[in-house]
Amino acid sequence: MSVCVCVYVRVRMVSPAIALAFVPLLLTVLIRYRFHLVLLWRAVVLRCFYDWSSGLTREERAFEYVLTHATPGEPNSILDAFDAWCHSKEFISHIGPKKGVCILDRLVLETSPLCVLELGTHCGYSSVRIARVLPVGARLITVEMDERNANIAEKVIRLAGYDDDTVELRVGVSEEVIPRLREEMGVDRVDLVFMDHWKRCYLPDLQLLEASGLLGRGSVVLADNVLFPGAPHFLRYTRACGLYTLRIHRATLEYSPGIQDGMAQLEYIGVNVDT
Amino acid sequence: MDNNHSVFIYEQCRFFSDAEFEDEDSNYYRDTDREAKRRRPKEKKTRERKEREKKRSAKNGESNGKAGNNVRGQPEEEQRGRKGRRRRGKEEEKAPVDGGDEEVDREVQKRRKTRGNRKATKHLKEEKEEENSNHKRQRPSKAEKDMKPSQRKTKKKEEDEPEKIDKGRKKRKVKVETSSESSDSSEEEESSEEEDGDDGEEGTEAVLGALTPEELEKLKEAVDERKKLIGTIRAKPWAMKKKLQTLRESQEFVEKYEGALGKGRGRKLYAYKVMMRKKWMKFQRDFENFKTACIPWEMKIKDIESHFGSSVASYFIFLRWMYGVNMILFGLTFGLVMVPEALMGRPYGSIPRKTVPRADEAGAMDFAVLWDFGGYAKYSVLFYGYYNNQRTIGWLKFRLPLSYFLVGVGIVAYSYMVVIRTMARNANEQGGGDETNYNFSWKLFTSWDYLIGNPETADNKFASITTSFKEAIVEEQESRKDDNIHLTRFLRVLANFLVLCCLAGSGYLIYFVVRRSQKFALDGLENYGWWERNEVNMVMSLLGMFCPMLFDVISSLENYHPRIALQWQLGRIFALFLGNLYTFIIALMDEINLKRKEEETVKFNMTAWQASLYNGTIGDNVTLSSITVDPADVPRGPCWETMVGQEFVRLIISDTMTTYVTLLIGDFLRALIVRFLNYCWCWDLEYGFPSYSEFDVSGNVLGLIFNQGMIWMGAFYAPCLPALNLLRLHVSMYLQCWAVMCCNVPQERVFKASGSNNFYMAMLLVILFLSTLPAIYTIVSIPPSFDCGPFSGKSRMFDVIQETLETDFPAWFGKVFSYASNPGLVLPFILLMVLAIYYLNSTSKSYKQANLDLKKKLQTQNEENKKKNKTAALKAANDLEEARNAVSLLQQQQSNNNASKQDDRRLDSSQQNRQQADNRPNYRETRHTAHPAKSHCGHSDPRRHIDRSPTPRRPGMSGYLPGLPHHPASKVPRHPHIHLQE
């Protein structure tokens, strides 16, 4: 109502009745996009406020919480602490408990990969989640671009009790790390790639992986948040190129029940030689 | 002779075309062939003999009902001759045919000896051909038909050596027949090949002209074989490649020679006939297409239906229907009111009501004024006020006021009629049909249209089938869902409460706006801007646009099935629009009252003005015509009728504009942004936040319905309204079709809209009723303005009827009418009608009940049958299992016993098999039921069991489709068949 009055005051020529007629529209937008508005509030406004008031980044605050609330050496308790923080305090866009359990864990258990590449470590939540269910002797290489985040992720991973052989954190842009994987890390083939970094980088990174020959027949690429915020180019490419069988798991955005999101699961089938 | 011959050939062609389309039985051909062969020697006989023969055969043909052609086709002199000899011919016919045949055969012998001389002259050849065809024309005589092959053989045995070739041929033919009976086509093919070879021999033997009968026979046989091959090619155990190749070859062959069969010179004619037939069929198909194309927008709607489902299509079908109705309304108003007035009425400027007043003349042509339907638009045939109250106009003595009134009533009456009729028809359609049973099976097995030849159409069909599957699945899911009932109830109540609040708010807002506008009107509209003047329309349009969105959001609380949700949504928007409309009407009523007060003062001033005109001679009976005043200067009343018409026209225009603007901004612009900004946006616009819009069925339908309601209300005061509406509907048809296909996405939950059509109709009926109420009220209770419109000067508008009755009908008619309108007569009549309606209603209900009962009965019967079949099948399976066990046991024993006699093993085991079968008839039955395709292999000859491998089928083996004859090519040795026949 106050908005309408404001409109009336500013734009003299529009009568209040006409302005009032827009109230249903306003209500509609508010109701329909309430989850998005809540997300905006939590992910942007609250974050800015806390950044300003505490002087720490969001990830550092999350790590503080985890340190005080989780048992070291127990990955499950660390994950729970993260979830609790994200539910009650602020929003961090890592793969949440629902998608993590239903899709990521199940996929890792099914494929039991020997070499996993994770792009976008953020705070190490998903690294811990993957490392938890990895088979014996498998290794996880995780790539993070941001230095500060990488520091925190390193701490989180070590806190969960994984040594350097199991989970290896690389700091750098994924575009630079991927071509050097073969020489520096001695990786011949990646069985599972988990993408959760910048949505715009999904496509170039996938093409880079193809070009470097790290993907073999049966390798699985799992990409988070392909519908919201969304990676349309990535999806279009994977549908069109014919190298993959594409499956989209529909889910909701982490820690926010009303927003539709999806994970894309690609299985590399390679070029068909027969045809 | 030549001429006659050609006529004859024509007849022959006719016969063949008939025979080909009526009777494709190959045996028939063979018989005629045989007969012809036997009669071949006749070319050497004298002419008289030949003619006699011919006549006899003609008689035979007549007895078989085929002689009509023949007789007609005979050369005239022959016919004349025949008339004389007819009796003799009949006598001859009485003689046993066998004897005749023998006679012929003897002749054959004679001729065979001198076969070398068969290079006959051309003349002879022609004759022979003629005769041959003559024989062919008749069906085999009864005696011959009855004759068994064995008899034939014995008969043939008496014949001499040269006949042996023929005999062998015949024998082979018998063989072919038997093999074809057993439907073993591979065998048949072999024999036919043999035959071909034989034919070839004979062909070399015979003298080959282009038209020798032998060749014709051969050709015919070959064509026949090919035809049969084409028919059975599916069942052949060949590779697909071979099948295709053979099929193509034989089709080519048939096409090439079918026309030539026995045709000689008539070939062209035959080809022409075939061509014409094909053309005719093509024409029929094209005509069907044309008929479909003639249904307006049918293709567009089908296109939309295939992509967006039936609910969206139902809107467009409704729109089309509405267009049709409006076409009639437009025809009525345009043809009976507007055109007569424009053509025959007084021209513009002749009287005050047809002239723009002096004060408005300056801006009467401005676009803004015209857009508001003021100025020249106001003083034209478009509005009520322009019409004169002259009783008859023009040389036709067209009674315009009467016509105006009757058209106004007729529009409403027609609308009622058409809406109710459509409703009744829809209700009929709903009653029948079993929609719940085997839904998916029906869809799965019967939905593809095999006549589709266009890839695009096929895509559409594919899309539509997928959509219909989605609909069916959603339906099924909905029917099986059960949730927390209390929570849903609470949420539904809450949602309704919210909607009611919203409705009340919007009603109050409109009331507020109307009051304000009245204040503006009292102050004089000239002091206010465009916004203030159009406030009511704007607010109504905006509320009509935004409130449904809010309702939509609220209705997501309720968790209804989409179709029910759509109905709720429709109901709510209906309430909203109705509230808006009635608020608007109430405001209009207020305005009418204001205008009528104004009218009183104008009336008073008028007399004063007239008085001033005559220099104070008040009360004098001087006619006005003596003093000429420019009609533009004459003071006039406010004419509330024109005002009402104008209001409605403005409302319609603003409504249309809002619709189109919403379409362009809300759909098109949004789609553009989503599509092209998606390339450079940080999240996925297409799947994510704005996305493409869905087509809003409920809002659009209600918009249409209320629009129509306004037309019904306003058409009496603004005859141009149906025309405007027609234009609007036409444009919106194209625009919305385009918008749907280009910027909307199908709803996520596609659902079937089978029931919603009648729902639309019901709403339309309600709106029709509600919109005729105010119109009738104004017509009946408010006196017309004194100086404008066709009813000026009367106390009520319907007085025009009375006037017509008094002046244009004889006196007795008026009397009868007054008696008829007596309440004492009308009330019983109404009572009777009510009773009739009640009776019809109850009978229809009982019929429906009976229908349901019958359906139920059918269903139970089906179920019972199913049960029975199931038990039978189970029993049979058990028996089969037992039998198998027994057989395998026996076989084991046998293999132990007969290990040495490997050669006979198969036969023995099969005999065992047969014994088994004889001992247990049930076993055999089960075999047959299990593999119906095989059942016809064995019944004619029990020894056929040989050709099956002796081991019984294991359960793991793949089965065959029933109906397709199966040929186990790899396992069945072919020689037993041949053995059998030799």
Side-chain angles (χ1 to χ4, degrees):
Chain A
M1 205 62 94
S2 59
V3 177
C4 299
V5 172
C6 286
V7 168
Y8 178 58
V9 169
R10 282 203 189 146
V11 191
R12 263 278 152 110
M13 52 185 285
V14 178
S15 70
I18 292 179
L20 275 175
F22 280 91
V23 169
L25 179 69
L26 199 72
L27 281 176
T28 310
V29 169
L30 278 182
I31 295 174
R32 183 168 284 171
Y33 299 112
R34 57 193 185 279
F35 294 110
H36 295 84
L37 292 172
V38 167
L39 186 67
L40 186 78
W41 173 254
R42 289 183 63 201
V44 179
V45 180
L46 269 187
R47 180 189 176 182
C48 289
F49 173 73
Y50 281 123
D51 279 358
W52 170 75
S53 65
S54 68
L56 295 171
T57 63
R58 182 173 57 160
E59 289 76 18
E60 284 163 346
R61 289 196 296 278
F63 181 61
E64 268 182 3
Y65 182 88
V66 169
L67 265 186
T68 50
H69 288 80
T71 321
E74 274 190 31
N76 282 341
S77 89
I78 288 176
L79 292 181
D80 288 343
F82 263 118
D83 289 338
W85 190 77
C86 291
H87 266 301
S88 56
K89 299 273 169 58
E90 282 177 61
F91 178 83
I92 287 185
S93 71
H94 47 227
I95 186 169
K98 267 186 195 163
K99 277 194 283 188
V101 170
C102 295
I103 302 166
L104 185 61
D105 287 3
R106 195 181 45 76
L107 190 70
V108 174
L109 284 173
E110 268 176 15
T111 54
S112 50
L114 286 178
C115 181
V116 182
L117 175 66
E118 188 197 2
L119 303 174
T121 318
H122 211 176
C123 328
Y125 177 88
S126 45
S127 311
V128 172
R129 198 166 259 290
I130 295 170
R132 202 169 56 117
V133 284
L134 272 185
V136 182
R139 66 194 287 212
L140 167 68
I141 300 161
T142 168
V143 181
E144 174 57 45
M145 189 176 72
D146 188 65
E147 192 84 28
R148 289 175 87 179
N149 285 353
N151 277 334
I152 291 163
E154 181 88 34
K155 286 177 201 159
V156 169
I157 291 163
R158 304 301 166 231
L159 190 70
Y162 297 111
D163 59 357
D164 213 33
D165 291 337
T166 321
V167 181
E168 195 171 335
L169 182 72
R170 303 280 307 200
V171 184
V173 187
S174 55
E175 285 171 61
E176 294 165 7
V177 175
I178 291 171
R180 282 183 286 153
L181 275 180
R182 198 182 283 273
E183 298 103 54
E184 291 183 7
M185 323 275 294
V187 179
D188 281 336
R189 179 200 146 111
V190 184
D191 299 309
L192 177 68
V193 181
F194 177 62
M195 294 183 173
D196 197 8
H197 53 314
W198 285 108
K199 314 308 164 201
R200 295 192 151 267
C201 298
Y202 280 10
L203 181 58
D205 286 352
L206 185 73
Q207 283 167 338
L208 214 58
L209 281 170
E210 284 167 16
S212 58
L214 287 171
L215 294 177
R217 187 177 276 263
S219 293
V220 177
V221 178
L222 191 67
D224 192 16
N225 304 114
V226 288
L227 295 189
F228 183 90
H233 299 282
F234 174 75
L235 283 184
R236 213 167 292 143
Y237 170 75
T238 50
R239 280 202 186 95
C241 72
L243 289 171
Y244 308 94
T245 52
L246 174 68
R247 244 183 98 187
I248 292 187
H249 302 277
R250 297 223 163 225
T252 54
L253 192 70
E254 53 272 7
Y255 313 118
S256 170
I259 301 175
Q260 292 292 317
D261 186 23
M263 290 182 92
Q265 177 189 336
L266 318 171
E267 191 176 342
Y268 190 80
I269 48 173
V271 187
N272 252 341
V273 191
D274 323 333
T275 51
Chain B
M1 182 67 208
D2 244 344
N3 189 25
N4 289 337
H5 183 77
S6 66
V7 169
F8 185 73
I9 294 234
Y10 168 68
E11 284 302 319
Q12 196 183 338
C13 295
R14 276 192 51 173
F15 166 68
F16 267 106
S17 56
D18 282 350
E20 241 159 38
F21 294 115
E22 285 168 17
D23 186 0
E24 300 248 340
D25 192 2
S26 57
N27 287 341
Y28 163 59
Y29 280 120
R30 287 207 182 94
D31 280 358
T32 49
D33 164 32
R34 216 170 294 146
E35 206 174 10
K37 234 158 240 170
R38 216 174 301 138
R39 286 176 189 179
R40 199 186 298 144
K42 245 158 276 161
E43 59 190 5
K44 276 223 155 181
K45 289 305 264 179
T46 57
R47 203 186 166 91
E48 200 191 329
R49 162 80 183 158
K50 219 187 309 169
E51 269 183 16
R52 215 178 62 207
E53 276 288 324
K54 212 187 283 176
K55 228 179 63 190
R56 198 177 60 125
S57 61
K59 279 286 158 194
N60 279 348
E62 206 167 38
S63 64
N64 281 325
K66 276 277 177 184
N69 294 341
N70 193 359
V71 173
R72 248 186 291 136
Q74 289 294 330
E76 270 207 31
E77 66 263 36
E78 265 188 31
Q79 275 196 4
R80 238 179 284 136
R82 193 183 291 161
K83 267 176 199 164
R85 268 169 283 166
R86 180 154 286 178
R87 192 175 294 162
R88 199 157 38 116
K90 268 182 187 164
E91 280 167 12
E92 243 181 52
E93 200 194 342
K94 275 172 197 166
V97 186
D98 282 16
D101 274 343
E102 268 175 343
E103 198 181 282
V104 177
D105 283 337
R106 241 170 279 137
E107 281 161 37
V108 169
Q109 288 168 30
K110 273 184 208 163
R111 218 194 71 253
R112 290 275 157 141
K113 279 169 195 166
T114 55
R115 192 164 255 192
N117 291 343
R118 275 184 61 196
K119 281 187 180 172
T121 58
K122 199 184 174 187
H123 172 72
L124 265 180
K125 225 189 253 172
E126 271 177 16
E127 274 181 1
K128 178 193 75 182
E129 182 197 322
E130 197 178 306
E131 202 169 339
N132 183 37
S133 47
N134 201 358
H135 292 315
K136 258 185 271 166
R137 194 179 305 167
Q138 56 184 324
R139 288 179 173 257
S141 63
K142 218 174 180 180
E144 185 142 35
K145 247 187 196 168
D146 291 342
M147 208 161 59
K148 286 169 194 168
S150 58
Q151 275 180 335
R152 271 182 205 160
K153 269 180 200 171
T154 51
K155 208 178 78 190
K156 288 284 180 293
K157 264 173 194 168
E158 295 164 14
E159 292 167 1
D160 281 339
E161 292 255 334
E163 194 59 29
K164 265 184 183 171
I165 303 167
D166 263 76
K167 214 168 75 184
R169 204 180 144 75
K170 213 144 284 170
K171 219 171 148 189
R172 258 198 304 284
K173 221 160 272 163
V174 171
K175 191 175 75 186
V176 171
E177 271 164 29
T178 51
S179 67
S180 72
E181 264 168 27
S182 71
S183 92
D184 194 340
S185 43
S186 61
E187 171 71 16
E188 180 193 322
E189 204 196 42
E190 265 174 43
S191 64
S192 75
E193 273 165 24
E194 267 177 60
E195 213 174 40
D196 277 358
D198 215 274
D199 275 359
E201 279 171 39
E202 220 174 299
T204 50
E205 226 178 334
V207 184
L208 277 179
L211 293 166
T212 52
E214 282 92 349
E215 202 178 51
L216 283 177
E217 297 315 316
K218 203 178 75 185
L219 255 182
K220 202 188 293 171
E221 256 168 46
V223 165
D224 227 46
E225 292 300 332
R226 301 291 166 132
K227 269 189 187 166
K228 204 175 249 177
L229 188 68
I230 289 170
T232 55
I233 198 150
R234 260 167 199 252
K236 305 241 176 209
W238 297 342
M240 188 47 86
K241 218 173 179 180
K242 192 186 170 189
K243 271 189 196 180
L244 281 176
Q245 201 186 354
T246 327
L247 184 69
R248 212 171 301 128
E249 276 172 6
S250 25
Q251 271 171 348
E252 267 172 24
F253 185 86
V254 168
E255 213 158 279
K256 196 171 169 191
Y257 291 110
E258 202 177 24
L261 264 189
K263 290 310 173 296
R265 288 179 204 167
R267 187 175 182 165
K268 260 186 198 162
L269 199 75
Y270 177 80
Y272 178 70
K273 279 184 94 171
V274 168
M275 199 183 70
M276 283 314 289
R277 182 176 285 268
K278 275 181 182 167
K279 283 244 164 87
W280 171 244
M281 274 160 75
K282 190 170 183 304
F283 170 75
Q284 273 178 326
R285 228 176 23 226
D286 284 348
F287 189 68
E288 286 292 316
N289 286 348
F290 176 70
K291 271 201 291 191
T292 321
C294 276
I295 303 173
W297 302 303
E298 179 74 1
M299 296 313 290
K300 273 181 183 235
I301 290 172
K302 286 281 169 221
D303 206 18
I304 286 169
E305 184 169 12
S306 62
H307 283 104
F308 289 84
S310 45
S311 61
V312 175
S314 74
Y315 165 73
F316 283 99
I317 291 168
F318 187 61
L319 181 61
R320 185 175 64 185
W321 184 83
M322 212 62 134
Y323 187 80
V325 171
N326 273 288
M327 199 83 125
I328 305 278
L329 301 192
F330 169 71
L332 282 176
T333 52
F334 193 72
L336 292 178
V337 174
M338 285 164 82
V339 169
E341 173 68 25
L343 289 182
M344 300 186 289
R346 287 197 177 173
Y348 172 82
S350 54
I351 45 173
R353 69 182 67 178
K354 296 195 176 194
T355 323
V356 179
R358 189 68 74 194
D360 300 346
E361 240 171 24
M365 233 8 217
D366 290 357
F367 178 74
V369 174
L370 285 181
W371 184 247
D372 251 8
F373 286 91
Y376 283 111
K378 187 179 170 187
Y379 297 96
S380 68
V381 283
L382 303 182
F383 290 105
Y384 173 91
Y386 182 79
Y387 293 83
N388 197 1
N389 61 346
Q390 237 176 326
R391 216 172 67 76
T392 59
I393 56 169
W395 51 273
L396 272 177
K397 302 235 175 283
F398 189 77
R399 285 159 183 81
L400 190 78
L402 180 70
S403 160
Y404 196 100
F405 188 80
L406 287 183
V407 162
V409 173
I411 282 178
V412 172
Y414 171 76
S415 307
Y416 268 113
M417 200 184 70
V418 85
V419 168
I420 287 175
R421 213 177 52 193
T422 315
M423 273 184 83
R425 205 169 48 218
N426 281 355
N428 253 358
E429 273 170 19
Q430 272 173 3
D434 195 1
E435 282 161 2
T436 50
N437 273 355
Y438 317 118
N439 199 356
F440 286 95
S441 304
W442 276 116
K443 276 196 195 323
L444 184 63
F445 293 118
T446 61
S447 39
W448 188 252
D449 184 357
Y450 285 94
L451 292 177
I452 290 175
N454 178 6
E456 243 173 73
T457 326
D459 279 354
N460 279 353
K461 187 72 194 173
F462 178 79
S464 82
I465 290 171
T466 328
T467 323
S468 75
F469 260 106
K470 275 185 200 159
E471 282 174 359
I473 288 168
V474 166
E475 215 106 307
E476 199 65 24
Q477 273 175 348
E478 289 299 324
S479 65
R480 299 198 173 165
K481 208 155 78 177
D482 48 283
D483 279 332
N484 183 358
I485 194 86
H486 294 294
L487 181 69
T488 10
R489 258 182 212 158
F490 169 71
L491 283 177
R492 282 171 190 180
V493 169
L494 182 72
N496 280 319
F497 176 71
L498 289 177
V499 168
L500 275 182
C501 287
C502 189
L503 283 177
S506 81
Y508 179 74
L509 190 63
I510 289 177
Y511 177 72
F512 173 72
V513 171
V514 167
R515 290 298 293 272
R516 240 167 77 97
S517 75
Q518 280 171 2
K519 199 184 78 191
F520 291 153
L522 282 179
D523 289 356
L525 276 176
E526 297 77 33
N527 310 332
Y528 294 93
W530 188 84
W531 286 101
E532 274 80 14
R533 264 187 284 145
N534 289 289
E535 210 177 43
V536 180
N537 291 346
M538 282 286 290
V539 167
M540 276 177 68
S541 298
L542 286 176
L543 281 179
M545 202 159 67
F546 296 141
C547 279
M549 288 158 103
L550 190 60
F551 294 161
D552 198 24
V553 166
I554 290 172
S555 74
S556 65
L557 275 179
E558 296 173 310
N559 201 16
Y560 277 125
H561 178 276
R563 201 187 315 130
I564 300 168
L566 175 72
Q567 292 188 356
W568 273 96
Q569 177 79 354
L570 280 172
R572 280 164 191 165
I573 304 174
F574 188 81
L576 174 80
F577 282 11
L578 201 67
N580 294 359
L581 200 65
Y582 263 71
T583 328
F584 176 74
I585 287 166
I586 288 165
L588 263 186
M589 286 292 181
D590 281 354
E591 212 156 336
I592 288 172
N593 288 334
L594 276 178
K595 292 267 170 180
R596 284 184 57 213
K597 266 177 206 156
E598 201 183 324
E599 202 180 274
E600 292 298 317
T601 54
V602 166
K603 252 186 189 170
F604 180 74
N605 288 347
M606 192 85 163
T607 41
W609 177 74
Q610 278 176 359
S612 68
L613 211 62
Y614 296 113
N615 291 328
T617 53
I618 304 171
D620 272 7
N621 279 338
V622 186
T623 50
L624 270 175
S625 56
S626 58
I627 300 163
T628 51
V629 183
D630 194 318
D633 293 328
V634 178
R636 56 193 74 178
C639 196
W640 61 267
E641 291 97 336
T642 301
M643 185 270 297
V644 170
Q646 260 179 319
E647 286 296 321
F648 274 110
V649 170
R650 274 184 212 145
L651 198 64
I652 294 277
I653 295 284
S654 80
D655 192 43
T656 313
M657 287 299 128
T658 326
T659 315
Y660 292 162
V661 167
T662 322
L663 197 79
L664 284 181
I665 291 178
D667 287 357
F668 185 60
L669 208 66
R670 180 171 163 185
L672 271 187
I673 287 172
V674 166
R675 178 79 181 78
F676 291 107
L677 231 55
N678 204 20
Y679 290 113
C680 49
W681 203 259
C682 48
W683 70 74
D684 195 347
L685 292 170
E686 287 183 2
Y687 284 96
F689 162 49
S691 176
Y692 297 109
S693 53
E694 288 174 1
F695 187 76
D696 176 22
V697 179
S698 52
N700 277 304
V701 164
L702 278 169
L704 207 60
I705 287 174
F706 273 84
N707 185 48
Q708 195 60 39
M710 284 188 255
I711 300 296
W712 279 323
M713 265 195 260
F716 192 73
Y717 299 118
C720 65
L721 268 182
L724 276 179
N725 196 35
L726 202 69
L727 203 68
R728 177 214 161 120
L729 291 179
H730 199 93
V731 172
S732 72
M733 188 71 177
Y734 283 103
L735 199 65
Q736 283 189 313
C737 272
W738 164 79
V740 161
M741 288 307 275
C742 123
C743 17
N744 285 5
V745 286
Q747 279 148 325
E748 256 176 61
R749 304 169 77 194
V750 193
F751 57 92
K752 218 164 73 185
S754 61
S756 47
N757 256 340
N758 232 7
F759 193 69
Y760 299 161
M761 286 296 158
M763 281 197 303
L764 197 64
L765 191 68
V766 172
I767 276 296
L768 181 55
F769 178 70
L770 290 177
S771 61
T772 45
L773 272 188
I776 289 177
Y777 173 76
T778 50
I779 288 171
V780 170
S781 66
I782 303 180
S785 317
F786 74 99
D787 65 340
C788 68
F791 312 114
S792 57
K794 297 187 178 62
S795 65
R796 290 283 183 269
M797 288 178 190
F798 54 81
D799 284 346
V800 71
I801 301 268
Q802 223 160 358
E803 190 194 67
T804 313
L805 278 178
E806 279 163 11
T807 52
D808 291 341
F809 285 93
W812 61 267
F813 194 86
K815 234 176 225 173
V816 168
F817 192 79
S818 67
Y819 284 138
S821 60
N822 187 12
L825 218 71
V826 169
L827 278 182
F829 184 70
I830 289 177
L831 207 68
L832 200 72
M833 241 161 67
V834 167
L835 282 178
I837 288 173
Y838 181 74
Y839 168 74
L840 288 177
N841 192 24
S842 57
T843 45
S844 86
K845 250 182 204 162
S846 70
Y847 282 145
K848 206 174 245 176
Q849 189 56 40
N851 238 346
L852 276 180
D853 286 348
L854 280 176
K855 219 184 267 176
K856 219 174 264 172
K857 204 171 166 187
L858 264 180
Q859 219 164 17
T860 47
Q861 231 168 25
N862 271 347
E863 268 161 25
E864 225 162 80
N865 278 348
K866 230 192 268 174
K867 235 179 257 169
K868 237 185 251 170
N869 287 345
K870 212 177 249 176
T871 50
L874 261 177
K875 201 180 156 200
N878 284 339
D879 288 347
L880 183 63
E881 200 57 39
E882 271 175 38
R884 269 180 194 152
N885 291 340
V887 167
S888 58
L889 264 177
L890 271 172
Q891 212 179 3
Q892 270 183 356
Q893 286 173 5
Q894 208 163 37
S895 60
N896 291 339
N897 293 341
N898 301 358
S900 54
K901 299 176 184 176
Q902 293 226 334
D903 291 355
D904 296 339
R905 202 180 89 185
R906 172 183 293 171
L907 195 70
D908 279 341
S909 64
S910 72
Q911 272 169 353
Q912 289 276 357
N913 223 338
R914 208 170 61 244
Q915 278 171 9
Q916 283 270 328
D918 290 343
N919 290 343
R920 295 187 206 187
N922 201 10
Y923 167 59
R924 227 179 137 166
E925 250 179 54
T926 48
R927 279 186 83 121
H928 283 272
T929 49
H931 308 292
K934 287 202 165 187
S935 61
H936 57 77
C937 289
H939 56 77
S940 60
D941 186 358
R943 275 171 70 196
R944 281 296 167 82
H945 280 295
I946 292 167
D947 64 21
R948 193 175 290 146
S949 58
T951 47
R953 286 165 57 82
R954 278 171 284 114
M957 277 171 86
S958 59
Y960 314 116
L961 279 179
L964 282 179
H966 172 71
H967 308 283
S970 54
K971 285 186 182 173
V972 182
R974 283 193 176 183
H975 54 269
H977 268 285
I978 296 162
H979 268 277
L980 267 177
Q981 274 147 11
E982 276 173 357

